[in-house]
Amino acid sequence: MYKTKAYSAVSASSPLARTMIARRDPTESDVQIEILFCGICHSDLHQVRNEWKEVMPTVYPCVPGHEIVGRVTKVGSAVSKFKVGDLAAVGCMVDSDGTCAECRAGLEQFCPNVIFTYNLPDKHLGGVTYGGYSESIVVDQRFVLRVPTNLNPAGVAPLLCAGITTYSPMRHWGVTKEKKVGVVGLGGLGHMAVKIAHAIGAHVVVFTTSPKKKEDAERLGADEVVISKNADEMQKHAGSFDFILDAVSADHDVNAYINLLRRDGNLTMVGAPEKALAVPAFSLIMGRRSLSGSPIGGIAETQEMLDFCGKHGLTADVEVIPIQKVNEAYARMLKSDVKYRFSIDMASLKSE
Ligand SMILES: NC(=O)c1ccc[n+]([C@@H]2O[C@H](COP(=O)([O-])OP(=O)(O)OC[C@H]3O[C@@H](n4cnc5c(N)ncnc54)[C@H](OP(=O)(O)O)[C@@H]3O)[C@@H](O)[C@H]2O)c1
Ligand SMILES: [Zn+2]
Ligand SMILES: [Zn+2]
């Protein structure tokens, strides 16, 4: 066991502040990573503030962060995938039982014994797992990803959650060339959805509450941009979408988007607002539409997404910040003032 610097919250109402945490010494199948960059996901904020207390109550102190890119500093004797000095990445999961039907299908995110990167039981050290707002992390090689070397590491970090969470449902629901795809909410997830859907060749329509994001949406790959508060603009798209990805973090009217689906169209929720959704049955019945949700993606698909991004030169648009600005970044995230993901430069933690 060794100690490493981290940022944690000690209660739902306290800001994140510097602390020391324990990490295990690498076992034979572990990879030790010096963290270079960690993205800030809105889930970090939900979890820190215990907004998901009904389903995933927060255990304090909480060290968030599940968009991790770093340099391998040590490997166990059985590690074959990585060597010291490699770039490596870790996303939202660090363990699973490896034996259940979900794991065998490469869908570790559905394993009943999945362990997320933070806030779930740590079988090695007791207590709960601690995430990427820290100097280093030790992870079993099964959950460590290879990073395409042509991409900027600060912009790769957000792919580990925002990238896979948007890539996976688009693949599952058959988004292909020329399908009409809607993306609701141009935040961290939304902007990756736009880039990925555009790279796939879909016709991409962004729905935003922020008129000032229109030009950015087009630059990111949107073919059309709709200001969602404008009912006439919304009405023009009624019954026309094959697929809509809803990546909104706060309470909103999801029914307004279900009505934009064509026959057999699907709306997938990846956004996880605190408040329950209101969905009239008839919106789904008419047109045999479906509403579903999707959590992150399996490890094999995460690697596939990283390789896809490598091939297409895709990274997140990041604002790189020192960790000392993390509380300010959370406040800005709540105002939808992020272009389009904060990526923490972890060198700033070393000097503190
Ligand atoms: N399913 C999963 O596995 C998974 C994985 C990661 C994250 N998430 C969840 O996905 C959600 C988005 O995460 P993120 O990191 O992308 O957040 P984010 O960067 O804060 O983006 C959220 C976007 O939602 C829109 N929005 C915010 N408040 C709104 C409101 N009151 N009404 C309508 N639109 C609003 C804004 O876009 P505009 O300015 O364009 O309107 C905002 O930029 C969060 O709930 C997060 O926990 C889920
Ligand atoms: Zn996330
Ligand atoms: Zn399993």
Side-chain angles (χ1 to χ4, degrees):
M1 201 175 88
Y2 68 100
K3 295 270 184 184
T4 189
K5 290 180 195 167
Y7 258 56
S8 75
V10 294
S11 78
S13 56
S14 58
L16 290 148
R18 210 198 96 143
T19 187
M20 296 297 288
I21 55 166
R23 296 289 192 197
R24 65 180 182 269
D25 293 318
T27 67
E28 62 174 21
S29 60
D30 280 337
V31 179
Q32 183 191 50
I33 298 166
E34 175 199 6
I35 300 174
L36 299 176
F37 294 97
C38 184
I40 299 181
C41 178
H42 206 113
S43 301
D44 299 347
L45 187 155
H46 288 306
Q47 193 81 65
V48 160
R49 305 205 171 162
N50 206 11
E51 289 173 359
W52 293 337
K53 51 185 161 305
E54 310 294 331
V55 275
M56 275 190 243
T58 305
V59 179
Y60 295 98
C62 173
V63 177
H66 56 205
E67 296 184 333
I68 299 167
V69 168
R71 188 73 66 187
V72 175
T73 45
K74 215 182 250 182
V75 294
S77 56
V79 172
S80 52
K81 271 168 64 184
F82 298 94
K83 58 180 193 317
V84 171
D86 284 351
L87 265 186
V90 177
C92 304
M93 305 180 286
V94 290
D95 204 3
S96 72
D97 56 31
T99 54
C100 74
E102 308 292 6
C103 286
R104 279 186 276 118
L107 299 169
E108 298 86 354
Q109 73 273 34
F110 301 114
C111 174
N113 298 307
V114 67
I115 300 296
F116 293 137
T117 306
Y118 58 86
N119 202 56
L120 280 183
D122 183 335
K123 72 179 181 199
H124 300 270
L125 296 179
V128 292
T129 47
Y130 291 138
Y133 296 8
S134 61
E135 275 182 303
S136 83
I137 192 164
V138 177
V139 179
D140 188 287
Q141 66 167 340
R142 281 202 299 134
F143 290 87
V144 182
L145 287 307
R146 291 184 311 279
V147 176
T149 49
N150 60 321
L151 302 177
N152 160 26
V156 168
L159 302 179
L160 276 299
C161 178
I164 184 61
T165 302
T166 53
Y167 181 88
S168 181
M170 287 199 267
R171 286 299 192 208
H172 180 78
W173 289 98
V175 169
T176 48
K177 239 179 170 20
E178 283 149 31
K179 288 270 167 80
K180 187 170 174 185
V181 171
V183 175
V184 188
L186 198 65
L189 265 58
H191 97 292
M192 281 317 307
V194 172
K195 289 190 183 205
I196 291 168
H198 178 72
I200 291 171
H203 181 89
V204 185
V205 182
V206 165
F207 295 93
T208 179
T209 59
S210 311
K212 60 181 187 307
K213 292 183 183 173
K214 188 171 189 289
E215 276 175 25
D216 283 345
E218 284 163 356
R219 175 179 56 77
L220 294 166
D223 297 286
E224 298 177 66
V225 182
V226 174
I227 307 304
S228 51
K229 291 169 187 158
N230 183 326
D232 292 340
E233 270 192 69
M234 292 286 283
Q235 189 51 35
K236 278 188 208 148
H237 291 273
S240 68
F241 282 87
D242 297 289
F243 178 76
I244 298 178
L245 190 82
D246 185 328
V248 173
S249 53
D251 188 27
H252 63 291
D253 177 17
V254 70
N255 191 47
Y257 298 100
I258 293 174
N259 286 327
L260 304 188
L261 293 171
R262 55 180 292 163
R263 170 174 56 76
D264 291 326
N266 170 268
L267 184 145
T268 292
M269 292 298 306
V270 287
E274 189 174 3
K275 200 166 161 244
L277 306 170
V279 179
F282 267 106
S283 297
L284 297 170
I285 291 169
M286 307 309 280
R288 200 165 53 192
R289 296 154 168 158
S290 65
L291 170 64
S292 58
S294 186
I296 50 174
I299 291 297
E301 195 175 45
T302 304
Q303 190 62 61
E304 178 188 306
M305 174 278 306
L306 284 168
D307 297 343
F308 175 91
C309 289
K311 187 171 151 212
H312 293 273
L314 300 183
T315 50
D317 282 24
V318 287
E319 180 174 339
V320 176
I321 58 162
I323 192 141
Q324 292 76 12
K325 289 211 165 158
V326 67
N327 294 303
E328 206 178 294
Y330 276 31
R332 283 182 51 196
M333 196 151 61
L334 285 174
K335 291 190 284 183
S336 301
D337 175 24
V338 189
K339 290 194 168 172
Y340 278 88
R341 196 61 141 186
F342 291 112
S343 185
I344 305 169
D345 180 353
M346 230 30 96
S348 58
L349 182 55
K350 276 202 169 39
S351 56
E352 183 168 328

